[in-house]
Amino acid sequence: GRGRGRGRGGFSSSSWGSGMEGEMDPMFDEVDGLGEEEEDTTYAANGEEEEEAGMGGDSGEQVSVRFVTKMKDPSLRMAPTPYFVPVQLTRYNLSVLVNEILDVEPKRPFDFLINNTFLRTSLHSLMQTQKIGKEDTLTLEYVEALAAPEHQKDFEHDDWIADVCGSDKVVVSGSYDKTVRVWETAGTGAALLTIQAHTQPITSVAWLTKPTDTDISFITASKDNTIRSWLVDINKKVHTSRHVFKSHTGSVEALATEPGFSRFASGSWDRTIKLWDPASIEADEERIIDDNDSGKSSKKKPRVDEATRVEKGCMRTFKGHNQAVSCLDWTVADTIYSGSWDHSLRSWDVETGVNTRTLVGEKVVHSIAYSTEASALASAHNDKHIRLWDPRSAVGEVMKRKLTSHHKWVYAVRWHPTRTTLLASASFDGTVKLWDIRSTTPLHTLPSLHKGKVLCVAWAGERQIVTGGADSKLKLNVVPVSST
């Protein structure tokens, strides 16, 4: 560690931050308002935090603390030496202290976790809330603070925006206006390309292959019961319709692509999940059997030239939900997760179609997202809650916790592609929130609100987040995520 070893001699309130406050002010301007539910502190004009009356404890009281971190950068680690600090210290004060101990440039803001709760008050107040005695040594996990997101621009459809997927350079959105539009994140606001994709509203979009700088390939689902695949040449601004996937008998509500981008799955109002392979040959696809068909028809299918065949059938059908399948996740190669209006979340073996586990979600499940690093399945519900599950837990509590801050239905959740504990949520209350799941308090609410329901959210690379809603707006925000 790089701690300077003042150890148990302690820091007086006059000496531990000497000379640091002025240097830290510009840095903390970037995270002004960090933690939207700060209860007990306000920021003075000079950038220092001030305790509200009666909340800081006796100014002479001190508590022993030990700083730990999971950040990989060795310059940001310190020796696990206990320090005595005043109990009235807040997040800002502690961040100044850690910067002084680490002695690194540039200075950077830190957040602090105590028993999986972010510090949003003084140490004294949190210790009272958690019933922690002053004789105990507090373990403070410090993490680099996430600066406030910044709104960049809006794009617009002619009707509700149902779903979106993104990369560093392009965003694809599907709308109730029956079109799918391709946007450049650095563009002026006009669509790079507009495709009249379906005969009914589009409900879902997903990448079919990993996007490149020149070409993108994606799939769209619709209330017309079909899925279509598309190839777009970004430089030439032209598109090609590849295949139409037909087998569902109800609106197709959800899409999820295999991690290796070979196959994809779909969920529908017909209560089924179907597995598709764009490279399939007709002989390997499921045969659609009529209600009056015994399954032993002697008629052979006419031969089709596979090189020119446009319509594709599904490879397998997964049955188990008794209401609409509203959402899917295929982050794990051998497992598909599904959520439904029947309140259940289910996991399925991809190769056998067997429903391997069923979780009771208590309310309608609108969206799910699995994080392999966090071992957590996040689900969005119409009772205003986000639920976090460990679907592979063999014993004990499968549901880890609930995240509550939205005031209406939570309709979409998405994990950050590299920051393993960062989750985005979108709600009918018009807001999009960012969470670090180590705490039940949201980090930020995106600054540009939608007018009405937010229907979708997606990360466009590591530093951009895009949202769409019933106001027909597609909003792009920049989230200054660090690499530590």
Side-chain angles (χ1 to χ4, degrees):
R2 295 191 51 171
R4 288 193 269 181
R6 298 192 187 184
R8 300 188 66 89
F11 286 85
S12 70
S13 58
S14 61
S15 66
W16 62 261
S18 177
M20 289 289 293
E21 287 83 349
E23 297 175 39
M24 293 287 287
D25 288 351
M27 174 184 64
F28 268 84
D29 287 344
E30 297 179 5
V31 289
D32 185 31
L34 180 67
E36 54 186 52
E37 295 183 17
E38 292 201 44
E39 300 170 357
D40 303 324
T41 60
T42 55
Y43 283 88
N46 67 355
E48 297 180 9
E49 286 179 334
E50 296 179 340
E51 290 286 324
E52 290 184 353
M55 294 303 295
D58 189 320
S59 60
E61 288 184 296
Q62 292 192 332
V63 64
S64 175
V65 300
R66 180 181 287 109
F67 295 103
V68 298
T69 188
K70 295 177 182 175
M71 290 186 288
K72 297 178 181 179
D73 186 345
S75 70
L76 299 179
R77 292 176 173 269
M78 65 174 74
T81 305
Y83 296 88
F84 278 106
V85 299
V87 295
Q88 75 267 27
L89 296 193
T90 58
R91 176 190 61 83
Y92 175 87
N93 308 136
L94 290 167
S95 191
V96 173
L97 170 57
V98 170
N99 270 273
E100 182 177 345
I101 296 170
L102 292 173
D103 193 22
V104 292
E105 295 292 344
K107 307 300 182 198
R108 56 188 77 195
F110 292 105
D111 238 329
F112 297 87
L113 283 157
I114 303 175
N115 297 330
N116 289 322
T117 299
F118 277 111
L119 180 64
R120 292 292 178 261
T121 63
S122 65
L123 287 173
H124 178 266
S125 181
L126 186 65
M127 289 167 65
Q128 284 186 323
T129 301
Q130 296 192 4
K131 296 181 172 55
I132 300 172
K134 294 185 179 67
E135 68 281 359
D136 298 328
T137 295
L138 286 179
T139 298
L140 303 184
E141 181 185 349
Y142 59 100
V143 298
E144 191 152 11
L146 182 70
E150 298 176 0
H151 177 245
Q152 293 296 298
K153 64 189 71 175
D154 289 352
F155 307 114
E156 193 163 359
H157 270 273
D158 298 326
D159 207 334
W160 289 12
I161 299 173
D163 201 11
V164 62
C165 60
S167 69
D168 288 324
K169 296 187 176 181
V170 294
V171 169
V172 177
S173 56
S175 170
Y176 272 53
D177 64 14
K178 306 171 189 175
T179 71
V180 59
R181 303 191 186 196
V182 180
W183 316 83
E184 289 182 300
T185 56
T188 59
L192 183 71
L193 198 66
T194 299
I195 303 171
Q196 298 295 325
H198 289 269
T199 59
Q200 294 294 325
I202 295 173
T203 55
S204 186
V205 297
W207 295 122
L208 189 55
T209 60
K210 189 174 181 178
T212 70
D213 291 341
T214 57
D215 300 288
I216 57 173
S217 180
F218 55 89
I219 44 179
T220 57
S222 169
K223 291 182 180 293
D224 65 12
N225 302 359
T226 69
I227 304 156
R228 294 176 180 265
S229 63
W230 309 88
L231 177 65
V232 171
D233 185 314
I234 296 174
N235 295 328
K236 294 181 180 179
K237 300 181 183 180
V238 295
H239 72 275
T240 304
S241 175
R242 304 291 296 276
H243 296 106
V244 182
F245 301 88
K246 291 185 176 181
S247 183
H248 281 296
T249 58
S251 171
V252 186
E253 296 292 303
L255 296 170
T257 311
E258 186 176 23
F261 293 104
S262 296
R263 299 172 294 179
F264 67 90
S266 59
S268 168
W269 271 98
D270 65 14
R271 308 178 185 181
T272 70
I273 301 162
K274 291 184 182 287
L275 180 67
W276 311 82
D277 185 345
S280 65
I281 60 173
E282 191 170 16
D284 293 333
E285 295 170 358
E286 280 189 343
R287 187 162 72 92
I288 301 175
I289 299 177
D290 219 62
D291 286 342
N292 298 320
D293 190 345
S294 67
K296 298 180 180 179
S297 173
S298 58
K299 293 183 179 180
K300 293 184 178 180
K301 292 182 182 180
R303 293 180 63 85
V304 177
D305 183 355
E306 289 292 341
T308 59
R309 186 166 66 101
V310 173
E311 287 193 10
K312 294 275 188 175
C314 75
M315 305 296 291
R316 184 175 296 110
T317 299
F318 304 168
K319 296 181 179 180
H321 286 292
N322 54 45
Q323 290 195 46
V325 179
S326 50
C327 48
L328 295 172
D329 182 278
W330 197 349
T331 302
V332 181
D334 60 358
T335 303
I336 293 173
Y337 293 107
S338 63
S340 169
W341 279 70
D342 65 12
H343 300 189
S344 74
L345 299 91
R346 297 173 186 252
S347 57
W348 307 81
D349 183 281
V350 172
E351 302 309 327
T352 65
V354 172
N355 179 186
T356 55
R357 189 159 198 178
T358 300
L359 306 174
V360 179
E362 300 176 21
K363 296 292 182 179
V364 170
V365 187
H366 294 296
S367 177
I368 55 174
Y370 185 71
S371 167
T372 52
E373 292 82 3
S375 297
L377 179 68
S379 59
H381 302 263
N382 62 359
D383 61 357
K384 311 174 189 176
H385 296 304
I386 301 162
R387 289 171 171 81
L388 297 175
W389 311 79
D390 184 354
R392 298 195 168 192
S393 174
V395 294
E397 290 293 328
V398 177
M399 187 165 64
K400 292 183 171 184
R401 65 177 60 185
K402 293 180 183 178
L403 304 178
T404 305
S405 180
H406 287 293
H407 304 299
K408 293 184 179 180
W409 289 15
V410 186
Y411 207 69
V413 286
R414 289 293 181 270
W415 293 100
H416 186 271
T418 59
R419 190 154 169 163
T420 58
T421 60
L422 185 59
L423 181 73
S425 63
S427 168
F428 278 16
D429 63 14
T431 68
V432 176
K433 295 180 183 288
L434 300 182
W435 307 77
D436 186 311
I437 63 164
R438 291 170 292 188
S439 178
T440 56
T441 301
L443 295 174
H444 295 290
T445 296
L446 294 194
S448 181
L449 303 182
H450 284 271
K451 295 179 181 178
K453 306 169 184 175
V454 188
L455 303 175
C456 54
V457 60
W459 293 95
E462 295 185 14
R463 296 173 59 86
Q464 300 174 115
I465 189 168
V466 61
T467 62
D471 58 3
S472 307
K473 300 285 188 183
L474 194 68
K475 293 181 176 290
L476 181 69
N477 285 266
V478 171
V479 182
V481 176
S482 71
S483 59
T484 54

